[in-house]
Amino acid sequence: MRISVLGTGYVGLVTGAALAHLGNQVVCHDIDRERIDLLRAGRLPFYEPHLDEVVQPARRRGNLIFVSGEFALLNEADVIFICVGTPSLPGGKGIDLRFVRAAATQIGEILEPGRRRVVVNKSTVPLGSRCWVETLVKEVLHRRGRRREMELATVSNPEFLREGSAVYDVFFPDRIVIGTEDEWAVETLHELYRPIIERSFTPPASLAAAPSGQFSPVPFLWVSPAGAELIKYAANAFLATKISFINEIANICEVLGADVREVATGLGLDRRIGPEFLAAGVGWGGSCFGKDLNGLMADARAYGYEPALLRAVFDLNYRQRMVVVKKLQNLLKTLRGMVIAVYGLSFKPQTDDLRDAPSLDVIKKLVSLGALVRVFDPVATGAFRRLCPDPEVKVCHDPDELVEGADGLVIVTEWPQVKELDWERVANRMRRKIIVDGRNVLAGGGLEQYGFAYQGVGIPVRPG
Ligand code: UGA
């Protein structure tokens, strides 16, 4: 099929590249010309494992092209995906839909009658936005006198990609959700996604094998537009709730003397609960959970419902970020003048994304307490320098520089490299051998043999 994708962020670029890999003719649009120039030059605007191996072959074959401002090409498409950003408005006052509005208007300005088109909204949006997009497009078409002849369906098709494994998730989704009233649009999208649904495509070579049960088709769920929009919000809210829940249990474990890892294992073996998203620590971050919880809460409140549980999930998460600072204060007492090394900046491993990263709040608090903060991250130091040019914070080039003369080391992101560190070497370089592990990645790793005082989250401290 001929596909147009508006927006080349995580969702747009990964979706566009995957659809090109499946043999479709894909045009990716972005209003950011620099980003498009970068993509045309064969480079990616962000770090995402495996994406390059999907983008570059398709680009060279010529079925994945990048354009800026050439909106006339929208008219060639059978399916147009809206994948633009939907940031939070300041002060948690809902979602900024300016980019979705611009995309819908552009579509209405360009489309000419002649064949059926499906407009798919993949951006995460407040409830009712699919209808809002449809109305916007149709209003512009009406103004141009094209509305009557146009065969157009608008669909909500939320994405469930995780940063860091977005390419895997797009090829091997747990489900595909389509929200529309138009059956022909459902048929068109079923046809577009058929290789993924039937798992009949050849995946990019470097991607891990398909999940077990790979021969069963991917569930394809046709629901109402409101249902599809709420499935997206509810999925993220539930995942955030699961993490905040285990963090609350971890905090209770600390006061009662139990180990949250044992509790999580026992909980996760109940199939109704499941083992994933039960890793306690400094809490969730990233561009989605906070924004989507805020969006859902704003929608609920606008219709007179106070979302008490979601509010608690949200508050607990931001409080949780401070647990590592409190542990340092307990161990080192006054932090003023102490050298604190922070390992991990990105909101999770395998990405350089710093949006709503717990590290930012931890660093800010440490600086405010007068600590001399040093930071290191395997991929996100460049992004961090651009975001926080604070001279109080020293950005280090390697783990050796990070820990040299440090009074405490805090792990904020569970990069696998952390486990590989040479702990004898680290112990020899630090001034005080204190590790506070905000992700419990080093628990049980025998750090005590190098003389470290180690504290995780929700793990009892052995009486020394
Ligand atoms: C999340 C969802 O997992 C995706 O399904 C969804 O499509 C995406 O948001 C989105 O709406 O775009 P993502 O934000 O990329 O994906 O990251 P996750 O892997 O969900 O992790 C989010 C945060 O939770 C990270 O900070 C991670 O460290 C934290 N986390 C995760 C925990 O603290 N404990 C866990 O057990 C799991």
Side-chain angles (χ1 to χ4, degrees), residues 159-161 163 232 236 277 279 284-285 288 347-348 439:
E159 59 78 23
F160 302 100
L161 310 178
E163 286 182 29
K232 170 66 191 181
N236 274 356
F277 275 64
W284 44 264
C288 305
F347 82 97
K348 67 174 191 178
R439 295 292 180 183

Side-chain angles (χ1 to χ4, degrees), residues 3-18 20 26-41 43-48 51 55 59 64-71 74 80-86 99-100 103 122-123 159 161 163 166 352-353 355:
I3 310 292
S4 266
V5 180
L6 292 168
T8 57
Y10 274 99
V11 177
L13 191 53
V14 173
T15 305
V26 180
V27 182
C28 286
H29 299 250
D30 205 298
I31 48 169
D32 182 345
R33 179 161 280 285
E34 268 178 44
R35 181 173 274 242
I36 291 300
D37 288 343
L38 203 69
L39 285 160
R40 279 181 172 167
R43 291 172 47 209
L44 296 184
F46 49 80
Y47 174 83
E48 180 64 35
L51 185 55
V55 169
R59 196 177 61 88
L64 177 62
I65 63 167
F66 301 102
V67 300
S68 186
E70 295 168 53
F71 291 114
L74 286 175
I80 301 173
F81 284 92
I82 300 179
C83 301
V84 295
T86 48
F99 302 112
V100 180
K122 260 197 182 296
S123 300
E159 59 78 23
L161 310 178
E163 286 182 29
D352 60 354
D353 196 338
R355 283 177 290 177

Side-chain angles (χ1 to χ4, degrees), residues 397-418:
H397 296 98
D398 54 46
D400 277 353
E401 189 187 355
L402 176 75
V403 298
E404 187 67 50
D407 296 295
L409 169 64
V410 194
I411 312 296
V412 183
T413 315
E414 66 277 34
W415 282 99
Q417 290 89 321
V418 175

